[in-house]
Amino acid sequence: MKKIIASVLVAGTLLAGTFAKAKNQTVTIGVVGAIYDDLWAPAKKALKKDGITLKTVQFADYVTPNNALNNGEIDLNAFQHRIFLKSDADNHNYKIQNVGNTFIIPLNVYSKKIKSVKELKKGDIVAIPNDVTNGGRAYKVLEAAGLITIKKTAGFNPTAADVESNPSGIVIKELAANTIPSALPDVAAAIVNGNYALDFGLKTQEAIFKDTSVSEKEYWNLIAARTSDLSNPEKVALYDKVVKAFQTSATEEVFNKEYGGYFIKEGWDEDELKAYKK
């Protein structure tokens, strides 16, 4: 009888250990900018209670996170908006897609030399991001600020070739997005991506012109995954938990209290994984 009881106890312990191993999972998510550690802190805490360890992997630019995701180096990434994802995936034949919406952040104009875009004069250099999608959005911001006009035939992502007129006479200089904040002292003004603006301590109230494109759905930021993973029900369920852990009032509290509403939640009522759930 003692042997039987011992065997049952051993079996029970092994079974419990199996369940524990099955429950303890690690998900790696690529991000760009230290602020994402704060933004994902509530989700990490919530997922930990469910036996899921979420690890953020920092990248220094916008080029590598999608490549790393496509190559299987990370499980997810969360740094880009819809237009950037589509453009990058099309250009590099990446098989990755949106699995959840996060927020929208403004693409504001900052300056260390002037207080208003109206002070810009002929020959003044204005720096903008040189990547296709944020660059296109930047041209729209310059148009909204009254500095340039864009051809009506231009697509959603205008380029320098789509500038119809430049009545202000500014010189538009395209730079890598992550270098623009440090270049601010050397230019008259610059359009700075939100995460880099925050990393460099630039506050929204310091912007000399605020982005008016925040209502555009194509600029919603998102969580991306490999398309091939979505054929696996277990991974779909796991990624769904990650998405839902982010889309909470605790995350929104970080948006509002720690970052003064710089981040605006968008698309939390849209289930991007619905078609893959069984």
Side-chain angles (χ1 to χ4, degrees):
M1 179 62 72
K2 288 181 180 180
K3 290 182 179 180
I4 293 173
I5 292 173
S7 298
V8 170
L9 289 173
V10 170
T13 301
L14 290 173
L15 189 59
T18 301
F19 284 144
K21 287 180 181 178
K23 187 177 181 183
N24 293 328
Q25 302 172 82
T26 297
V27 178
T28 53
I29 184 165
V31 298
V32 181
I35 55 168
Y36 282 91
D37 288 327
D38 293 335
L39 300 182
W40 279 93
K44 286 183 178 181
K45 186 177 180 181
L47 289 166
K48 194 69 176 178
K49 293 178 182 178
D50 204 23
I52 300 169
T53 299
L54 182 67
K55 292 184 177 179
T56 52
V57 179
Q58 285 287 348
F59 291 90
D61 56 58
Y62 293 145
V63 178
T64 49
N66 281 336
N67 183 54
L69 177 60
N70 189 70
N71 291 340
E73 296 169 29
I74 52 177
D75 299 306
L76 303 167
N77 69 38
F79 74 100
Q80 64 196 320
H81 51 53
R82 294 173 179 225
I83 304 175
F84 189 93
L85 172 61
K86 185 179 186 310
S87 174
D88 211 30
D90 288 348
N91 289 337
H92 298 94
N93 198 31
Y94 292 150
K95 303 301 180 184
I96 57 180
Q97 66 187 71
N98 180 15
V99 295
N101 302 304
T102 54
F103 50 76
I104 190 166
I105 51 180
L107 200 61
N108 294 331
V109 184
Y110 293 90
S111 177
K112 295 293 185 182
K113 299 178 179 179
I114 58 177
K115 301 295 183 182
S116 168
V117 291
K118 293 180 180 179
E119 296 178 43
L120 287 167
K121 58 187 184 300
K122 185 177 180 180
D124 279 347
I125 297 174
V126 177
I128 69 170
N130 68 355
D131 56 277
V132 176
T133 52
N134 285 303
R137 187 179 174 189
Y139 279 108
K140 287 190 170 186
V141 171
L142 293 179
E143 183 178 48
L147 298 171
I148 63 171
T149 61
I150 297 171
K151 296 174 184 177
K152 291 182 179 179
T153 55
F156 202 83
N157 265 336
T159 66
D162 295 310
V163 176
E164 188 170 56
S165 67
N166 182 358
S168 62
I170 60 170
V171 176
I172 302 170
K173 187 174 184 178
E174 298 184 0
L175 301 173
N178 61 329
T179 68
I180 291 179
S182 58
L184 263 176
D186 303 317
V187 298
I191 293 180
V192 185
N193 288 68
N195 57 326
Y196 293 130
L198 286 167
D199 280 350
F200 277 79
L202 299 173
K203 300 176 181 178
T204 53
Q205 58 265 35
E206 296 173 350
I208 63 172
F209 183 80
K210 293 185 178 180
D211 184 7
T212 57
S213 65
V214 291
S215 61
E216 296 276 0
K217 187 173 183 177
E218 292 302 311
Y219 294 137
W220 289 2
N221 279 43
L222 55 88
I223 301 166
R226 282 181 297 281
T227 301
S228 59
D229 279 354
L230 303 184
S231 61
N232 183 332
E234 290 183 1
K235 288 192 175 181
V236 170
L238 178 60
Y239 296 164
D240 188 49
K241 287 181 180 179
V242 173
V243 172
K244 287 178 177 175
F246 184 87
Q247 296 173 342
T248 64
S249 58
T251 299
E252 192 173 10
E253 189 172 337
V254 175
F255 291 174
N256 297 328
K257 288 191 174 180
E258 294 188 34
Y259 293 103
Y262 201 102
F263 299 90
I264 304 166
K265 74 171 186 178
E266 289 289 359
W268 289 12
D269 58 341
E270 297 188 13
D271 187 353
E272 302 293 346
L273 282 169
K274 185 177 180 179
Y276 301 95
K277 294 177 181 176
K278 305 227 174 156

